[in-house]
């Protein structure tokens, strides 16, 4: 019973995370200052550096599907697959990899830019002088760090009053589940055998924006404020509030036709399939478009 309640609470908190995400897109209100205030407070409470993520996420939307310039879940090329990948290409290895990705992927991305774009030097979402950001953004990155420090200070005081076990139960475990939901949603939005990626010779913003997948999470679609089953529309109109996303998706489907991507496979099956089949990208050997890259899993 407790586990079920915790998962439900974590799903609701993930919905709160999505509201902060809306703020980062200036899709929450007509006032930028209000969006930033609400987003800053909500994301800091969830240990997310709001402005740091806002700016890197904006670049993700500007470069979606580019193997060189996208900011998150950038797929490996065949030449960069590590030697040990073949030893993990089995049910046990895949389970271990998925578990680490879901529960450690988000903090590792923020701290070390794991699965993110490759930079010439160390990139971190907490570093105001890191290569992810430009000079105009550095003060806001510092503000984000102050928000995280304030949140940790609040957690520390809660531990003093309630104890570490209570704090882990009420805050730590739900937050870890929220992080897992976040990675799961984002991974499945941008990973699918039918989704192409592009090198600089072929990439265009519109092609990249269509390289994303709508999924069906059942009743959680509403809990997650439709970020799951209307993500194509979100990439086309990122400042659109979530409560118009279903209407927009219905409108774009007949316009996009076969270019609209939806997969209704149950999420647990889709996660396993994508982890198995989408190990790296490479050009289709039977196509002349060598700048268009597709997922593959052949390691020999």
């Amino acid at each position: 019973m407790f586990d079920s309640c915790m998962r439900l609470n974590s799903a609701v908190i993930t919905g709160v995370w999505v509201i902060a995400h809306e703020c980062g897109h200036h899709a929450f209100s007509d006032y930028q200052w209000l969006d930033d205030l609400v987003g800053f407070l909500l994301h800091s409470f969830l240990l997310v550096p709001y402005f740091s993520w806002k700016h890197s996420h904006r670049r993700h939307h500007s470069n979606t599907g580019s193997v060189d310039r996208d900011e998150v879940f950038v797929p490996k090329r065949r030449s960069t697959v590590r030697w040990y990948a073949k030893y993990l290409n089995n049910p046990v290895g895949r389970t271990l990899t998925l578990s680490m990705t879901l529960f450690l992927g988000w903090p590792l991305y923020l701290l070390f830019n794991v699965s993110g774009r490759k930079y010439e030097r160390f990139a971190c979402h907490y570093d105001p002088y890191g290569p992810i950001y430009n000079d105009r953004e550095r003060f806001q990155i510092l503000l984000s760090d102050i928000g995280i420090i304030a949140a940790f200070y609040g957690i520390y005081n809660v531990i003093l009053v309630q104890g570490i076990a209570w704090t882990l139960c009420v805050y730590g475990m739900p937050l870890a589940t929220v992080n897992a939901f976040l990675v799961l949603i984002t991974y499945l939005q941008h990973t699918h055998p039918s989704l192409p990626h592009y090198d600089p010779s072929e990439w265009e913003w519109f092609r990249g924006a269509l390289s994303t997948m709508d999924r069906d999470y059942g009743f959680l679609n509403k809990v997650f404020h439709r970020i799951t089953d209307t993500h194509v529309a979100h990439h086309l109109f990122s400042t659109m509030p979530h409560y118009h996303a279903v209407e927009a998706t219905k409108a774009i489907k007949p316009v996009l036709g076969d270019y609209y991507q939806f997969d209704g496979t149950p999420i647990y099956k889709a996660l396993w399939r994508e982890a198995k089949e989408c190990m790296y990208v490479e050009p289709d050997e039977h196509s002349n478009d060598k700048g268009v890259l597709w997922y593959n899993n052949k390691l020999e």
Side-chain angles (χ1 to χ4, degrees):
M1 181 69 177
F2 172 76
D3 288 343
S4 299
C5 290
M6 188 185 76
R7 285 194 294 269
L8 181 59
N9 288 339
S10 299
V12 173
I13 298 171
T14 303
V16 174
W17 200 107
V18 175
I19 294 299
H21 161 268
E22 294 253 305
C23 293
H25 280 289
H26 192 21
F28 179 74
S29 77
D30 292 332
Y31 305 99
Q32 184 68 67
W33 68 266
L34 181 59
D35 284 12
D36 285 341
L37 177 62
V38 173
F40 177 78
L41 292 175
L42 293 180
H43 263 173
S44 295
F45 173 73
L46 298 174
L47 300 184
V48 178
Y50 170 73
F51 290 107
S52 309
W53 169 86
K54 171 184 173 180
H55 293 308
S56 69
H57 189 66
R58 184 183 71 246
R59 293 185 176 95
H60 159 63
H61 272 261
S62 298
N63 299 283
T64 306
S66 169
V67 291
D68 290 337
R69 298 185 62 83
D70 201 349
E71 285 288 342
V72 64
F73 280 115
V74 180
K76 295 181 177 67
R77 297 199 190 216
R78 177 66 180 90
S79 59
T80 64
V81 175
R82 300 295 182 89
W83 61 269
Y84 51 78
K86 62 182 179 181
Y87 298 108
L88 296 174
N89 190 26
N90 55 68
V92 174
R94 205 169 295 124
T95 299
L96 177 63
T97 301
L98 281 173
S99 298
M100 292 183 63
T101 299
L102 290 176
F103 289 99
L104 297 178
W106 177 240
L108 289 177
Y109 171 64
L110 293 177
L111 283 166
F112 306 112
N113 202 38
V114 172
S115 84
R117 171 185 170 185
K118 302 303 179 186
Y119 288 95
E120 293 182 356
R121 60 190 180 90
F122 177 71
C124 171
H125 277 73
Y126 301 98
D127 181 5
Y129 294 94
I132 301 175
Y133 309 109
N134 60 45
D135 290 340
R136 291 179 300 175
E137 297 165 347
R138 304 200 192 285
F139 177 70
Q140 290 189 333
I141 309 310
L142 181 60
L143 283 180
S144 297
D145 293 347
I146 293 172
I148 298 300
I149 292 170
F152 271 116
Y153 181 72
I155 294 168
Y156 169 74
N157 280 279
V158 171
I159 291 173
L160 292 180
V161 175
Q162 298 289 352
I164 190 168
W166 185 94
T167 306
L168 284 173
C169 182
V170 174
Y171 179 82
M173 293 172 63
L175 182 61
T177 308
V178 169
N179 291 345
F181 272 132
L182 174 62
V183 174
L184 170 68
I185 292 168
T186 309
Y187 174 73
L188 290 181
Q189 285 167 343
H190 298 284
T191 308
H192 190 278
S194 69
L195 292 180
H197 286 71
Y198 304 94
D199 75 8
S201 69
E202 292 286 347
W203 182 86
E204 295 177 350
W205 178 85
F206 188 61
R207 299 180 84 178
L210 294 180
S211 296
T212 185
M213 183 67 62
D214 282 354
R215 305 274 189 171
D216 186 6
Y217 286 70
F219 78 94
L220 288 178
N221 289 328
K222 292 184 178 181
V223 180
F224 294 153
H225 301 300
R226 316 306 301 225
I227 198 66
T228 44
D229 61 336
T230 64
H231 199 65
V232 176
H234 173 64
H235 266 270
L236 293 173
F237 314 104
S238 60
T239 60
M240 176 182 62
H242 69 272
Y243 45 81
H244 290 312
V246 172
E247 177 186 2
T249 297
K250 291 179 180 178
I252 65 174
K253 280 183 181 180
V255 177
L256 295 179
D258 291 341
Y259 292 100
Y260 170 75
Q261 300 270 18
F262 173 83
D263 187 350
T265 302
I267 295 303
Y268 70 94
K269 290 185 178 180
L271 178 63
W272 187 258
R273 181 191 64 201
E274 267 58 297
K276 181 179 180 180
E277 299 184 10
C278 302
M279 298 185 67
Y280 60 88
V281 292
E282 65 177 0
D284 184 348
E285 61 182 10
H286 303 297
S287 173
N288 293 324
D289 295 327
K290 299 305 180 184
V292 182
L293 311 177
W294 300 92
Y295 281 109
N296 206 329
N297 65 349
K298 296 180 176 63
L299 295 177
E300 299 297 340

